[in-house]
Structure formats: structure tokens, C-alpha cells
Amino acid sequence: MNKNKDTSEFDYVIVGAGSAGCVLANRLTADGKHSVLLLEAGPKDTHIWIHIPLGYGKLFKEKSVNWMYQTEPEPELNRRQVYQPRGKVLGGSSSINGLLYVRGQHEDYDRWRQRGNAGWGFDDVLPYFKKAENQQRGPDKYHGTGGPLPVSDWRHADPLSEAFIVAAAEAGIATNPDFNGAKQEGAGFFQTTTRRGRRASTAFSYLRPAIKRGNLRVETSALAQRLVFEGRRARGVEYKQNGSLRTAWARKEILVSGGAYNSPQLLQLSGIGPAELLKSHGIDIVLDAPGVGNDLQDHMQVRVVTRCSQRVTLNDVVNHPIRKVMAGLHYAALRRGPLTIAGGTSGAFFKTDPRLATPDVQIHFIPFSTDKMGEKLHSFSGFTASVCQLRPESRGSLRIKSADPSVPPEIRINYFATETDRRALIDGIRILRRILAAPALKAYCVEEIDPGAKTVSDEDLLDFCRRTGSTVYHPTSTCRMGNDPLAVVDQRLKVRGIEGLRVVDASIMPDLMSGNTNAPTIMIAEKASDMILEDAR
Ligand SMILES: Cc1cc2nc3c(=O)[nH]c(=O)nc-3n(C[C@H](O)[C@H](O)[C@H](O)COP(=O)(O)OP(=O)(O)OC[C@H]3O[C@@H](n4cnc5c(N)ncnc54)[C@H](O)[C@@H]3O)c2cc1C
């Protein structure tokens, strides 16, 4: 171990200021007893579109704040590469995401527990969801107030999004005012991580209140290259900033929070991963850990686009110079209106097979349409409802392609690899069509543009999914928690076989939960903070 003049020493060094990393930085510095360095590869969160909910569309391909990864050609999706946005900025993906606040199903966490992960059942994790939360509707059995993370109702009255909920009820899907309450099933409005119409990333809600603490140092544009070990004890992080290589040393622990792609990449670059892979890149092996990068899973979605009979969609606002300016003014004055549209307005969770115990499909409804996410809205009035399978069986992997930390990793998700996954999307589209055909929405529908009314058979629907299927941006489980030989971290999120090192982010999920992944990742970091502080006593 060669400490050079750039050396600096902290109790904890956190890699990645994303959904999880900002939570850790806040909680670990709160009592003033520990010094913390937070390293973030991206810049400060000053980009204006970060703070305006609708801006997530503008950041979708904004390389100054986005890693902009691609998968390898996906075998079941006609060998298409699927674009993978990931936040590279303070707040990480919580600064560029669709802002939806969805925790998943109680049964997801009970399944984690049932897989041997003591302390991670629903009753165990609920207090951490509540601790994080500042729920606009007030506290109850499932919700907390007074936490750093504002969770709010949507601030815009939109007839289409409302009609979706009524139409779902007409199609037999009951209205559910709270997807994060007693049960998830049903149709309703999403709540969002916003405060008075502005995005509440973890940089906003957790980091900002902590940033002036004397025991927290935040370094941006600082890319962690590799971890430094003394035997099997993690001691330091080598990082590159403005062309200089520096090393930060951790007296107590290093906490890797780089997200589901970058955390396993950093472990592999540091000599923790499948031995054969590391050898092939000339990396010295610290620990042969064949599970690092395995079990990659993601939610796949297909988007059904409908031409609307009335000029009530966001397309009509964006394509009309006066309405566009009015929307801007409305937002500037009141923080309301179309600019508060998030990654979905209303939605539904339902079962495609009545024999299932809980929903296996989520619909995100949104009152605009486009050929591809992040691209120009259609010139005609249109809206979109996407179908997403909640518990995919398909498993992929993440592997480094080079020992050079700046080379993007090889991402294989293997979307659509199993019959269950294919069946869920086909049946999900059929149920969505029943909602679109119900009286409340039918009044707004001229025709289905994509896939189009002629696409009816299983074969044609499957072909549509293969041609157009994409991600809902929820990769997880590449540093999976568990007790088996391929599990990467234990129930305290410590890397198995290594001392002084934890992974804390979406990569530790034992499997993908049935919903959006930001709130669960924040919960994971809240729980991890308690465990880290307990272990420091
Ligand atoms: C476009 C998009 C839309 C989404 N919509 C929603 C939604 O509506 N609701 C929802 O719940 N979830 C949504 N998600 C998913 C959710 O935001 C993520 O699951 C969650 O933010 C993951 O948190 P994380 O801490 O694991 O990783 P991240 O938040 O991605 O944080 C990782 C951080 O580590 C940094 N980093 C990585 N490697 C290094 C390194 N080597 N050195 C230094 N820093 C590094 C990154 O730059 C990043 O800031 C969306 C995601 C995206 C991308």
C-alpha cells in the first residue's frame, strides 16, 4: 500500500452520489461523529431540466448527466441494442428519472425474506420507507411524514389521465387511490418524488441539507477507478479527477453505491469477480466471486400509442406556440400544469392470470405520444400506455470489457428469454386494450397507432414486442444479497469474503421488486445506514 501525497483519510468513503449514495452521506454524517467522503463521477445537479418534472425527457439523452449505456444485441429482441440511460450527476438516476414513487408489493419483500434474507421482510422494511418519507397526504399505517423525501400528488388536472382510471374501473380494475398502501392492485394516479412541483432527487432531499456539515466532503467529476486492498480488507479508493489520479483512504468502510451497472463494474475492475473474466483482462484477483455481475434483471415495456380525438394531449401543447408559452408561464407562476408531468400520470397494476396471487403487470399512462422516448412528440394528438411485466424470469449479466474504468461494461439483459415473460406482455396488451375500449376512454380514441388494430394474434403481438420492446430503466440484482455461493453481499450488505466493504444500491436486490425502483433503493440505503452506524459502535 503506497500512500502518496494526494492521500486523504475518512471514516467512510462512498462511491456514487445517486439514490442510495446521497442517503448514506446524509445519515452517516448526521451525528457529527464520522467523516465521510462522497465521490461522484458526474457534475453538480445544476442542469435546469433536472428540477422540472417534464425535463426528464430532455435528460434522457443528455450526455453531461447521463452514462447513456447500450445493451449488447438482445437475442430475443431481433438482436437490437436497448438504450440504457443512467444518471451521472449528483442525485444519480434520481436526478433524471420519471419521479414515480412506487414501492412494490408487500409480497416482494416477504419473498426476499423467504429466500433467507432475515431482516428484509415487508414488516422489516416498512419503517425505512416511512422514515424516508414526507407524505403530502399525512401519516398513516403505511406512510410517514417528516422524512427528507417529499412524496406528493400530481399538480395538474388532466381529463385523459382521469379517464384512464375511470375506464379501468369500467373494464373491471378497481380504483386504488394509493399504490403504496394496503395493496397495490388497481388503477389510480401515481404519486411523485416532488416538492411543490419541483423534482426531489436524493441530491435535493438528502445531500443538500447535509452538504454544509464539516464532516462531509463531496467531490464531483471524480471517477472511482478501483478499490485498494490490504489482503482482503478494503482500504482505499483510487479515483480520477481533472486528469489527476488520487487515493482516498477509509478508516472504517468503503461503501459502493454506483448503481446496478457501475457497482459490479467497479468490483470487477478491483479484482472481485469471476476469476476467468478478471484474468482475461490482466486484473489481479483479490477474490474469485463468480456471482458479481450475474442475475441482472430489468423491467421491459412495450408502448401502445393511440391517436386522440381531442386536443387535450401534451402533443397539442408542445406543438402550439401560444399554448406552449402559456404552459411555461403557468409553471413559472404556480409550479402547476403540463410541465409537472412525470414518467406516468395515472396507471394500473393487474394480474394477467387470475390464478396469480398479486399483479404481474404495470401500466404507465401518459398524455403524450412519440415514436421513441426522448424524441419529438407526434404532430397529432396522441397518448401512450405502456405495458410492463413486473417479475421477469429472464436473467442477464454485466461484465467488464476492459481493465480501463472509462470503457463501458458489457450489458446483457436477455429480455424476453422465457415463455412467462413473453406471455405476460402479450396478455397485458390485451387487457390494456380492454381499458382503452371502455366508454370513458373510447370517447378519446380515434385509432390505435402502435401496434395497430390489425395486430391481434399472439404471433403478431410477440413480433411487436420484439421490434419495439425497451426498458423501464430498472436494472437490479448484479451484486445480489443472499446466502448461496453466488450471492455477492450478506444481509448487512457486506461483500462476502471481504472486510470493510459494502455495496448499497439497487444492485443488492435479491430480485426485482414489482414496481419502480427508486423508493426501494432509498429504503435500502436508509436501512444500510442504520446497520453501518450500529456496526461502528
Ligand atoms: C430514465 C429513468 C427513469 C426512471 N424512472 C423511475 C421512476 O419514475 N420511478 C422510480 O422509482 N425509478 C425510476 N427509475 C429507476 C431509479 O431511478 C433507479 O433504480 C435508482 O435511482 C437507482 O439508484 P442507485 O443508487 O442504485 O443508482 P444511481 O441513482 O444510478 O446512482 C449511482 C451513482 O453513482 C455514480 N457512479 C457510478 N460509478 C461511479 C464511479 N466509478 N465513480 C464515481 N461515481 C460513480 C453515478 O454517476 C451515479 O450518480 C428510472 C431510471 C431512469 C434512468
Side-chain angles (χ1 to χ4, degrees), residues 15-21 39-42 56 60 66-67 69 84-102 202 222-225 239 257-260 262-263 265-266 342-344 364 472-476 504-507 509 515-521:
V15 178
S19 296
L39 295 173
E40 169 52 46
Y56 83 95
F60 199 72
N66 194 326
W67 291 89
Y69 289 136
Q84 302 284 323
R86 294 278 99 198
K88 185 184 184 180
V89 57
L90 289 184
S93 297
S94 78
S95 285
I96 69 160
N97 74 9
L99 303 99
L100 303 186
Y101 182 81
V102 179
T202 53
L223 178 73
Q225 311 272 297
Y239 65 100
S257 300
N262 293 46
S263 286
Q265 179 194 27
L266 183 62
H364 293 86
V472 193
Y473 329 112
H474 296 163
T476 66
V504 182
D505 59 26
S507 71
M509 292 188 193
N516 308 58
T517 44
N518 187 41
T521 304

Side-chain angles (χ1 to χ4, degrees), residues 78-385:
N78 301 341
R79 300 199 58 75
R80 280 185 301 119
Q81 290 184 277
V82 177
Y83 175 59
Q84 302 284 323
R86 294 278 99 198
K88 185 184 184 180
V89 57
L90 289 184
S93 297
S94 78
S95 285
I96 69 160
N97 74 9
L99 303 99
L100 303 186
Y101 182 81
V102 179
R103 297 174 178 176
Q105 300 167 2
H106 304 189
E107 293 81 357
D108 291 321
Y109 304 101
D110 288 337
R111 186 179 63 248
W112 290 7
R113 171 69 190 92
Q114 197 62 13
R115 290 181 67 178
N117 296 301
W120 291 89
F122 181 70
D123 289 346
D124 303 306
V125 301
L126 178 61
Y128 290 103
F129 279 115
K130 291 170 76 171
K131 182 180 182 187
E133 188 180 16
N134 192 8
Q135 171 61 244
Q136 181 197 327
R137 298 176 188 174
D140 65 19
K141 183 174 172 198
Y142 296 103
H143 294 285
T145 50
L149 187 72
V151 177
S152 310
D153 289 318
W154 191 30
R155 293 163 67 87
H156 180 50
D158 173 53
L160 266 178
S161 306
E162 181 98 45
F164 175 82
I165 299 167
V166 179
E170 290 166 347
I173 298 167
T175 302
N176 182 355
D178 183 7
F179 294 137
N180 303 303
K183 70 178 177 64
Q184 185 194 54
E185 192 162 8
F189 283 108
F190 290 111
Q191 285 200 299
T192 57
T193 41
T194 52
R195 183 170 168 272
R196 293 200 204 105
R198 282 171 69 88
R199 177 189 292 274
S201 66
T202 53
F204 170 84
S205 46
Y206 282 87
L207 193 57
R208 205 144 298 169
I211 210 144
K212 290 218 173 85
R213 293 177 189 156
N215 55 339
L216 174 62
R217 192 157 117 204
V218 181
E219 295 289 347
T220 49
S221 305
L223 178 73
Q225 311 272 297
R226 55 185 57 84
L227 309 176
V228 183
F229 295 92
E230 214 174 49
R232 287 200 172 162
R233 183 172 179 95
R235 284 290 184 203
V237 181
E238 200 177 282
Y239 65 100
K240 207 174 206 177
Q241 192 179 36
N242 306 322
S244 309
L245 209 53
R246 298 164 200 271
T247 309
W249 303 98
R251 275 185 290 264
K252 292 184 191 294
E253 292 191 52
I254 294 168
L255 309 165
V256 174
S257 300
Y261 295 144
N262 293 46
S263 286
Q265 179 194 27
L266 183 62
L267 293 191
Q268 291 173 6
L269 288 169
S270 308
I272 302 174
E276 282 311 308
L277 173 76
L278 307 189
K279 266 191 238 159
S280 70
H281 292 292
I283 294 172
D284 291 341
I285 295 167
V286 175
L287 179 73
D288 177 13
V292 172
N294 279 8
D295 275 306
L296 174 56
Q297 22 201 305
D298 188 21
H299 286 141
M300 173 173 160
Q301 69 169 337
V302 287
R303 300 177 320 115
V304 173
V305 174
T306 305
R307 187 189 291 268
C308 184
S309 59
Q310 298 177 38
R311 295 189 178 282
V312 290
T313 70
L314 186 68
N315 302 11
D316 305 300
V317 176
V318 168
N319 294 320
H320 190 290
I322 296 173
R323 287 181 71 181
K324 194 172 168 177
V325 170
M326 293 300 288
L329 292 174
H330 191 183
Y331 184 78
L334 301 171
R335 300 263 164 79
R336 291 182 181 275
L339 269 84
T340 62
I341 291 176
T345 50
S346 48
F349 293 87
F350 57 72
K351 301 174 203 166
T352 59
D353 179 341
R355 290 170 299 186
L356 291 173
T358 60
D360 62 332
V361 157
Q362 176 178 5
I363 304 288
H364 293 86
F365 182 87
I366 197 134
F368 66 74
S369 67
T370 166
D371 281 338
K372 272 194 181 162
M373 262 308 294
E375 291 185 2
K376 259 183 78 152
L377 303 189
H378 287 137
S379 55
F380 53 83
S381 311
F383 58 86
T384 308

Side-chain angles (χ1 to χ4, degrees), residues 412-483:
R412 294 182 191 278
I413 299 183
N414 287 330
Y415 291 111
F416 237 34
T418 79
E419 177 58 20
T420 308
D421 294 4
R422 296 189 284 265
R423 192 75 257 158
L425 280 196
I426 293 172
D427 293 344
I429 296 174
R430 292 211 169 102
I431 294 173
L432 169 62
R433 280 176 166 170
R434 294 216 305 261
I435 301 175
L436 295 171
L441 260 184
K442 200 172 168 38
Y444 290 101
C445 296
V446 179
E447 60 170 336
E448 187 182 291
I449 303 276
D450 238 346
K454 287 191 183 140
T455 308
V456 177
S457 66
D458 277 11
E459 205 188 3
D460 287 351
L461 286 170
L462 197 59
D463 174 63
F464 168 68
C465 296
R466 291 190 198 283
R467 277 190 292 109
T468 67
S470 63
T471 173
V472 193
Y473 329 112
H474 296 163
T476 66
S477 309
T478 45
C479 299
R480 179 172 62 76
M481 166 168 66
N483 301 303

